Amino acid sequence: MNLSERDLLHNWHPYTQHKTAQFHPAIVKGKDALLWDETGKEYIDAIASWWVNPFGHSNPIIADAIYQQLTTLEHVLFGGFTHDKAVYLSEKLMEILPSNQKKVFYSDNGSTAVEVAIKGALQYFYNKGKKKTKIIAFEDAFHGDTFGAMAASGITFYTEAFRGSLLEVVRVPIPTIGYEDKAIAILEQLVLSGEYAAFIFEPLVLGAAGMIMYEPAILDKMIAICNANDVFTIADEVMTGFGKTGKTFATDYLVNKPDIMCLSKALTGGTIPMAITTFTQEVFDGFYDDDVNKALFHGHTFTANPTGCAAALASIGLLQTNDMQANIQRINQLHLAFQLKIKVHPKVKTTRVLGVIFALEVITNGEESYYGTMRNKLYTFFIENGIILRPVGNIVYILPPYVITAKQLEKVYQTIEKAIEIV
């Protein structure tokens, strides 16, 4: 039996109905934007392995930082102790985050970063003796799979089985062109009730919804409304953070900054699971008290893992190099050129580009379901042609490693052109 066959004996894969699941290639090696399976077949990783790997697979700079840390201090508990890499990383984050962010809370993945953010917002008001127990979120949002993050998410088939067990969340429309006024009006009505602790959002791009994009100006207005009504704002930058939108963070496009930010995915360059939730001084001060019961009682065994912190420091260092910033701009320009070409295709309904993110919507005959026939047909075509892309229903998106070559990206574009002809 090969690895793919042995895998099916015991492994339960995420977001997978195993009775109908297709073949899982067994990847054995990666370098830069490429992966190879056990048969030697080569794949272009055009989504940076779920958006985590902007600096390429097997990056030697990050690998060396991890090796050096493993041979010095692999882990120490963060409850009651600290270490140099956690201190250095918090200081580095203060240099690149919006200036209102002052405190760093470490966890282990994007969902738990959101969980910490939601718990922080809710408990802040509890500590103050205020009854604010609800959250505001966008329709079709996705914030993760733990219970608080799942409650904030709006893609129903992810949450349907748990509907009666979730935190109360009320939704506003995504403020895309034509829906701005409606989104503002609903948000204004909700915050006036005084029942809401926070408004959580994916800034400028809703990833799992199909790379739906909206403008910074409207988000600035929404944050201002929350600021004026004692509602915290939570920017979920798990996907958008660390260069994806063309700036270090999507919130760098904004005038008004969020109170809380969630970071993960590209944080460690796709190497070690780690997440961060950052807070303003105001939020932190809501827990700073002689009463121990007002502390934030949340933690993870591997909180602020030194090896993960070392990987994150190396990753941020790579992001800040001139070469990597030039790569981001290069990919953006290639995306824009492809957009000009493909948007006139008779089977293409819409296209959108922001930073290294490209998305197109294929015209359908009503079959647009998330894991439907069209999506599966497209996915299989891409895999057969050595391209790793995961369409969201009828939306095909590219979010590549920043080190992808122009030749590799051209092959991705050409394969997409061929794919939309077969559906």
Side-chain angles (χ1 to χ4, degrees):
M1 295 175 71
N2 62 25
L3 285 173
S4 292
E5 292 167 336
R6 288 160 58 192
D7 170 81
L8 295 176
L9 295 176
H10 305 294
N11 289 331
W12 192 341
H13 289 259
Y15 310 119
T16 299
Q17 173 48 264
H18 276 270
K19 187 172 184 179
T20 59
Q22 300 170 8
F23 171 76
H24 292 138
I27 301 300
V28 296
K29 186 175 70 171
K31 182 61 180 171
D32 298 332
L34 299 176
L35 295 166
W36 289 268
D37 70 16
E38 62 184 323
T39 70
K41 182 176 178 178
E42 181 182 282
Y43 301 83
I44 299 173
D45 186 357
I47 58 169
S49 286
W50 263 342
W51 323 334
V52 303
N53 201 293
F55 312 114
H57 295 281
S58 304
N59 184 283
I61 293 174
I62 302 176
D64 184 62
I66 291 170
Y67 171 76
Q68 294 298 330
Q69 189 60 45
L70 283 173
T71 56
T72 304
L73 173 68
E74 79 298 335
H75 183 64
V76 64
L77 69 161
F78 209 56
F81 294 87
T82 192
H83 55 84
D84 59 345
K85 292 303 186 294
V87 174
Y88 299 154
L89 181 54
S90 65
E91 292 170 344
K92 173 57 72 173
L93 287 166
M94 291 304 105
E95 294 176 11
I96 65 175
L97 284 163
S99 60
N100 68 335
Q101 300 299 298
K102 299 298 182 184
K103 296 293 180 178
V104 175
F105 193 100
Y106 296 94
S107 60
D108 57 359
N109 64 68
S111 294
T112 52
V114 170
E115 208 78 15
V116 171
I118 291 173
K119 288 176 73 173
L122 292 171
Q123 189 179 336
Y124 173 93
F125 291 109
Y126 177 85
N127 285 354
K128 297 289 185 181
K130 297 181 180 180
K131 187 173 176 58
K132 284 176 169 261
T133 59
K134 300 177 183 178
I135 299 293
I136 302 167
F138 281 136
E139 295 172 355
D140 297 323
F142 182 76
H143 295 288
D145 293 320
T146 52
F147 266 73
M150 186 167 54
S153 301
I155 302 173
T156 55
F157 66 86
Y158 283 102
T159 58
E160 189 64 34
F162 313 100
R163 183 183 293 272
S165 305
L166 300 176
L167 174 74
E168 185 172 353
V169 177
V170 177
R171 308 194 182 280
V172 298
I174 305 168
T176 51
I177 295 172
Y179 290 90
E180 300 97 333
D181 291 344
K182 183 177 181 181
I184 289 290
I186 293 174
L187 180 65
E188 286 179 327
Q189 183 181 18
L190 291 174
V191 298
L192 287 174
S193 72
E195 299 176 325
Y196 295 90
F199 167 42
I200 186 170
F201 51 84
E202 297 162 86
L204 308 189
V205 188
L206 279 74
M211 301 299 165
I212 296 174
M213 299 179 185
Y214 61 99
E215 293 299 315
I218 191 67
L219 184 55
D220 264 322
K221 290 181 182 178
M222 300 180 91
I223 292 174
I225 290 166
C226 291
N227 288 345
N229 290 275
D230 199 25
V231 174
F232 287 130
T233 51
I234 302 171
D236 179 353
E237 292 242 24
V238 169
M239 186 274 283
T240 53
F242 303 103
K244 307 288 183 25
T245 64
K247 293 183 181 287
T248 302
F249 301 105
T251 45
D252 291 341
Y253 287 93
L254 303 176
V255 175
N256 297 317
K257 305 301 183 181
D259 301 292
I260 304 170
M261 293 178 65
C262 306
L263 311 173
S264 190
K265 289 198 181 290
L267 173 64
T268 65
T271 55
I272 294 176
M274 174 170 270
I276 284 171
T277 310
T278 65
F279 297 90
T280 62
Q281 189 68 42
E282 178 190 0
V283 179
F284 177 81
D285 287 347
F287 294 79
Y288 193 75
D289 198 280
D290 292 327
D291 184 355
V292 68
N293 294 312
K294 291 188 176 180
L296 179 57
F297 285 103
H298 188 102
H300 300 268
T301 302
F302 286 94
T303 292
N305 170 251
T307 311
C309 289
L313 284 162
S315 180
I316 293 169
L318 283 167
L319 176 65
Q320 293 183 310
T321 63
N322 291 334
D323 285 349
M324 208 60 68
Q325 290 299 311
N327 280 341
I328 292 170
Q329 295 306 313
R330 172 179 59 85
I331 293 168
N332 177 254
Q333 292 303 309
L334 291 170
H335 280 350
L336 290 171
F338 180 54
Q339 181 184 42
L340 283 174
K341 176 183 179 183
I342 200 68
K343 70 180 182 180
V344 297
H345 192 287
K347 287 193 174 182
V348 173
K349 184 176 180 181
T350 62
T351 59
R352 43 194 175 270
V353 174
L354 182 63
V356 301
I357 305 167
F358 171 89
L360 67 80
E361 184 177 2
V362 182
I363 293 174
T364 72
N365 295 317
E367 207 286 279
E368 300 175 5
S369 60
Y370 213 82
Y371 287 105
T373 303
M374 169 180 280
R375 180 266 177 202
N376 292 339
K377 190 174 182 181
L378 286 166
Y379 175 77
T380 300
F381 182 85
F382 293 135
I383 292 297
E384 289 173 349
N385 284 273
I387 308 292
I388 300 176
L389 291 171
R390 287 178 63 88
V392 178
N394 65 319
I395 296 169
V396 177
Y397 74 87
I398 309 168
L399 206 167
Y402 305 157
V403 297
I404 195 169
T405 67
K407 183 178 180 180
Q408 290 164 347
L409 201 48
E410 181 58 31
K411 182 179 177 181
V412 175
Y413 296 149
Q414 290 174 355
T415 307
I416 289 173
E417 289 183 85
K418 293 175 184 176
I420 61 179
E421 294 293 344
I422 68 168
V423 293

